[in-house]
Amino acid sequence: MTSNSAPQPETIRTTKSRIACDGTGDGLANAALGHPRVWLEIDPDQGYADCGYCDRRFILAGGVADQA
């Protein structure tokens, strides 16, 4: 039996409340496969921020949304 649901977006734990996302992960290699760099601010009351381009979720380590 196969599932037709889309894979879950990537989740990244970070210790910084202001992060940049360009869709590549490392910022340089494969830049043509990413998206324009955007800066995201994690709201401490929410504990996470989602990238509007690639749907990555950045979770503030030790914050309210951190399940690790």
Side-chain angles (χ1 to χ4, degrees):
M1 178 180 256
T2 61
S3 173
N4 290 336
S5 63
Q8 292 293 322
E10 183 178 6
T11 300
I12 300 172
R13 291 180 71 234
T14 180
T15 58
K16 299 176 182 178
S17 62
R18 183 166 163 80
I19 39 48
C21 183
D22 62 7
T24 65
D26 60 14
L28 296 174
N30 300 326
L33 301 176
H35 58 69
R37 179 174 290 165
V38 292
W39 288 93
L40 306 168
E41 187 75 33
I42 298 176
D43 179 346
D45 292 331
Q46 196 171 29
Y48 69 91
D50 293 331
C51 177
Y53 282 100
C54 65
D55 293 332
R56 281 186 177 150
R57 176 164 285 188
F58 295 89
I59 296 177
L60 188 60
V64 296
D66 190 10
Q67 301 295 319

